[in-house]
Amino acid sequence: MAITGSDSIITPMNNMEATQFAAEQIRKAIIAGHFKPGDRLIEQQLTEMLDVSRHPVREALRLLAREGFVELKRNKGATVSAVEAASVTEVYKIRVALGMLALDYLMADEDRLSDADLKRLEKLAHNAVRCAELESQAETVQNDLEFQQAIIDATGLQRTIRYFSELTGDVRRFNNLLGVVYTDRKGDAENYVMKLFEAVRDRNLREAHLIWEAKFAKAAERYLSIIERGNSDGASKAV
């Protein structure tokens, strides 16, 4: 049956599109550190910056509050959230769980991990070792996030891919705000990237699980240590 005219159950969502656009732009600015923890996000200023009406901006701030990027207080408006220990723990526990699901799925059937996906993982694993020799750690961080995502992408499980990818924004924010310094990048590349690739390649599920869990536990520990010491203006200790 064709659906036309007033019978249509699908209508244009221009406000929704504007809300998603506004949320994406504000989220990117927060992740990059252009808006810092404690900064007020004033609706009128944002409408002018984004060239959208006030309603989509207000809805975007509500969306970002649900994601944890923004804090909304009655009569005080919106401010950029600080990074708290509970947030770090939550994000990493979810990423660990999604990764375990991905590894289980990939190794349940010999045909699920394609040659192309395996070659992509191999390239990123070797890149990790190469990046560890560079003076800047930026390429190491970017390559590692791509390696993690490549494992998730290989499953083809759309919800898992989407949820894991969304949480990568949180990880980038943690890294930017807390200023983590990776002191043993070569060891990390060999023990947590190359060995994980080899476990996936060899279909060693138990080993892959152990490395994945250890990798994320160490990452979370780094952030939590910085928060506990109170060495970053972007962090907030629980009271």
Side-chain angles (χ1 to χ4, degrees), residues 173-190:
R173 184 172 183 241
F174 298 160
N175 201 71
N176 290 339
L177 286 179
L178 301 179
V180 172
V181 176
Y182 299 90
T183 56
D184 185 17
R185 286 189 283 146
K186 183 177 180 181
D188 288 346
E190 293 173 348

mmCIF file of all heavy atoms in Angstrom, residues 173-190:
data_model
loop_
_atom_site.group_PDB
_atom_site.id
_atom_site.type_symbol
_atom_site.label_atom_id
_atom_site.label_comp_id
_atom_site.label_asym_id
_atom_site.label_seq_id
_atom_site.Cartn_x
_atom_site.Cartn_y
_atom_site.Cartn_z
ATOM 1 N N ARG A 173 38.216 12.344 25.146
ATOM 2 C CA ARG A 173 38.090 13.435 26.109
ATOM 3 C C ARG A 173 38.930 13.161 27.350
ATOM 4 O O ARG A 173 39.615 14.045 27.860
ATOM 5 C CB ARG A 173 36.625 13.638 26.489
ATOM 6 C CG ARG A 173 36.407 14.830 27.419
ATOM 7 C CD ARG A 173 34.944 15.116 27.625
ATOM 8 N NE ARG A 173 34.800 16.298 28.447
ATOM 9 C CZ ARG A 173 34.208 16.340 29.622
ATOM 10 N NH1 ARG A 173 33.675 15.235 30.131
ATOM 11 N NH2 ARG A 173 34.117 17.452 30.307
ATOM 12 N N PHE A 174 38.861 11.942 27.866
ATOM 13 C CA PHE A 174 39.689 11.592 29.024
ATOM 14 C C PHE A 174 41.161 11.884 28.723
ATOM 15 O O PHE A 174 41.873 12.475 29.535
ATOM 16 C CB PHE A 174 39.549 10.103 29.367
ATOM 17 C CG PHE A 174 38.168 9.662 29.759
ATOM 18 C CD1 PHE A 174 37.821 8.314 29.687
ATOM 19 C CD2 PHE A 174 37.217 10.567 30.202
ATOM 20 C CE1 PHE A 174 36.554 7.889 30.057
ATOM 21 C CE2 PHE A 174 35.947 10.146 30.575
ATOM 22 C CZ PHE A 174 35.616 8.805 30.501
ATOM 23 N N ASN A 175 41.584 11.454 27.550
ATOM 24 C CA ASN A 175 42.995 11.599 27.191
ATOM 25 C C ASN A 175 43.392 13.068 27.068
ATOM 26 O O ASN A 175 44.443 13.492 27.560
ATOM 27 C CB ASN A 175 43.270 10.871 25.876
ATOM 28 C CG ASN A 175 44.725 10.547 25.686
ATOM 29 O OD1 ASN A 175 45.279 9.691 26.355
ATOM 30 N ND2 ASN A 175 45.371 11.260 24.790
ATOM 31 N N ASN A 176 42.534 13.855 26.417
ATOM 32 C CA ASN A 176 42.839 15.271 26.210
ATOM 33 C C ASN A 176 42.847 16.058 27.514
ATOM 34 O O ASN A 176 43.708 16.914 27.743
ATOM 35 C CB ASN A 176 41.843 15.899 25.234
ATOM 36 C CG ASN A 176 42.013 15.402 23.811
ATOM 37 O OD1 ASN A 176 43.083 14.905 23.448
ATOM 38 N ND2 ASN A 176 40.976 15.517 23.008
ATOM 39 N N LEU A 177 41.872 15.771 28.382
ATOM 40 C CA LEU A 177 41.742 16.551 29.614
ATOM 41 C C LEU A 177 42.727 16.135 30.697
ATOM 42 O O LEU A 177 43.247 16.979 31.429
ATOM 43 C CB LEU A 177 40.318 16.422 30.166
ATOM 44 C CG LEU A 177 39.225 17.191 29.431
ATOM 45 C CD1 LEU A 177 37.876 16.928 30.078
ATOM 46 C CD2 LEU A 177 39.515 18.685 29.409
ATOM 47 N N LEU A 178 42.981 14.843 30.789
ATOM 48 C CA LEU A 178 43.804 14.358 31.892
ATOM 49 C C LEU A 178 45.289 14.340 31.565
ATOM 50 O O LEU A 178 46.123 14.188 32.456
ATOM 51 C CB LEU A 178 43.335 12.962 32.315
ATOM 52 C CG LEU A 178 41.870 12.895 32.779
ATOM 53 C CD1 LEU A 178 41.502 11.465 33.160
ATOM 54 C CD2 LEU A 178 41.627 13.829 33.951
ATOM 55 N N GLY A 179 45.615 14.495 30.277
ATOM 56 C CA GLY A 179 47.019 14.612 29.906
ATOM 57 C C GLY A 179 47.852 13.387 30.226
ATOM 58 O O GLY A 179 48.956 13.497 30.771
ATOM 59 N N VAL A 180 47.347 12.212 29.867
ATOM 60 C CA VAL A 180 48.068 10.979 30.133
ATOM 61 C C VAL A 180 49.375 10.942 29.341
ATOM 62 O O VAL A 180 49.411 11.281 28.159
ATOM 63 C CB VAL A 180 47.212 9.751 29.753
ATOM 64 C CG1 VAL A 180 48.034 8.470 29.845
ATOM 65 C CG2 VAL A 180 46.010 9.657 30.664
ATOM 66 N N VAL A 181 50.448 10.534 30.009
ATOM 67 C CA VAL A 181 51.734 10.333 29.346
ATOM 68 C C VAL A 181 52.030 8.836 29.349
ATOM 69 O O VAL A 181 52.081 8.201 30.407
ATOM 70 C CB VAL A 181 52.867 11.097 30.062
ATOM 71 C CG1 VAL A 181 54.208 10.783 29.405
ATOM 72 C CG2 VAL A 181 52.595 12.601 30.047
ATOM 73 N N TYR A 182 52.205 8.272 28.165
ATOM 74 C CA TYR A 182 52.457 6.846 28.031
ATOM 75 C C TYR A 182 53.966 6.608 28.080
ATOM 76 O O TYR A 182 54.691 6.933 27.137
ATOM 77 C CB TYR A 182 51.855 6.325 26.732
ATOM 78 C CG TYR A 182 50.356 6.516 26.672
ATOM 79 C CD1 TYR A 182 49.800 7.686 26.148
ATOM 80 C CD2 TYR A 182 49.502 5.555 27.190
ATOM 81 C CE1 TYR A 182 48.425 7.870 26.120
ATOM 82 C CE2 TYR A 182 48.128 5.717 27.165
ATOM 83 C CZ TYR A 182 47.595 6.887 26.630
ATOM 84 O OH TYR A 182 46.231 7.070 26.613
ATOM 85 N N THR A 183 54.438 6.044 29.176
ATOM 86 C CA THR A 183 55.878 5.944 29.419
ATOM 87 C C THR A 183 56.515 4.708 28.791
ATOM 88 O O THR A 183 57.733 4.659 28.613
ATOM 89 C CB THR A 183 56.153 5.926 30.931
ATOM 90 O OG1 THR A 183 55.418 4.852 31.527
ATOM 91 C CG2 THR A 183 55.727 7.240 31.562
ATOM 92 N N ASP A 184 55.721 3.689 28.462
ATOM 93 C CA ASP A 184 56.276 2.469 27.872
ATOM 94 C C ASP A 184 55.453 2.098 26.645
ATOM 95 O O ASP A 184 54.806 1.054 26.597
ATOM 96 C CB ASP A 184 56.275 1.324 28.892
ATOM 97 C CG ASP A 184 56.963 0.070 28.347
ATOM 98 O OD1 ASP A 184 57.700 0.187 27.346
ATOM 99 O OD2 ASP A 184 56.756 -1.011 28.924
ATOM 100 N N ARG A 185 55.501 2.955 25.650
ATOM 101 C CA ARG A 185 54.684 2.726 24.464
ATOM 102 C C ARG A 185 55.124 1.472 23.698
ATOM 103 O O ARG A 185 54.294 0.776 23.118
ATOM 104 C CB ARG A 185 54.717 3.954 23.556
ATOM 105 C CG ARG A 185 53.885 5.109 24.111
ATOM 106 C CD ARG A 185 53.767 6.222 23.105
ATOM 107 N NE ARG A 185 54.986 7.011 23.044
ATOM 108 C CZ ARG A 185 55.459 7.571 21.934
ATOM 109 N NH1 ARG A 185 54.842 7.404 20.792
ATOM 110 N NH2 ARG A 185 56.557 8.301 21.972
ATOM 111 N N LYS A 186 56.407 1.189 23.691
ATOM 112 C CA LYS A 186 56.879 -0.005 22.997
ATOM 113 C C LYS A 186 56.346 -1.265 23.683
ATOM 114 O O LYS A 186 55.861 -2.191 23.031
ATOM 115 C CB LYS A 186 58.399 -0.041 22.966
ATOM 116 C CG LYS A 186 58.954 -1.230 22.196
ATOM 117 C CD LYS A 186 60.475 -1.203 22.123
ATOM 118 C CE LYS A 186 61.009 -2.392 21.347
ATOM 119 N NZ LYS A 186 62.497 -2.391 21.290
ATOM 120 N N GLY A 187 56.417 -1.293 25.010
ATOM 121 C CA GLY A 187 55.892 -2.438 25.749
ATOM 122 C C GLY A 187 54.408 -2.599 25.561
ATOM 123 O O GLY A 187 53.907 -3.720 25.391
ATOM 124 N N ASP A 188 53.680 -1.483 25.582
ATOM 125 C CA ASP A 188 52.233 -1.538 25.371
ATOM 126 C C ASP A 188 51.914 -2.073 23.982
ATOM 127 O O ASP A 188 50.992 -2.887 23.809
ATOM 128 C CB ASP A 188 51.622 -0.150 25.534
ATOM 129 C CG ASP A 188 51.605 0.319 26.977
ATOM 130 O OD1 ASP A 188 51.816 -0.514 27.870
ATOM 131 O OD2 ASP A 188 51.401 1.531 27.204
ATOM 132 N N ALA A 189 52.680 -1.602 22.973
ATOM 133 C CA ALA A 189 52.437 -2.034 21.594
ATOM 134 C C ALA A 189 52.659 -3.533 21.444
ATOM 135 O O ALA A 189 51.878 -4.231 20.776
ATOM 136 C CB ALA A 189 53.336 -1.262 20.640
ATOM 137 N N GLU A 190 53.698 -4.028 22.075
ATOM 138 C CA GLU A 190 54.023 -5.448 21.943
ATOM 139 C C GLU A 190 53.079 -6.326 22.755
ATOM 140 O O GLU A 190 52.629 -7.372 22.276
ATOM 141 C CB GLU A 190 55.468 -5.680 22.387
ATOM 142 C CG GLU A 190 56.493 -5.038 21.453
ATOM 143 C CD GLU A 190 57.906 -5.119 21.988
ATOM 144 O OE1 GLU A 190 58.068 -5.470 23.187
ATOM 145 O OE2 GLU A 190 58.845 -4.831 21.228
#
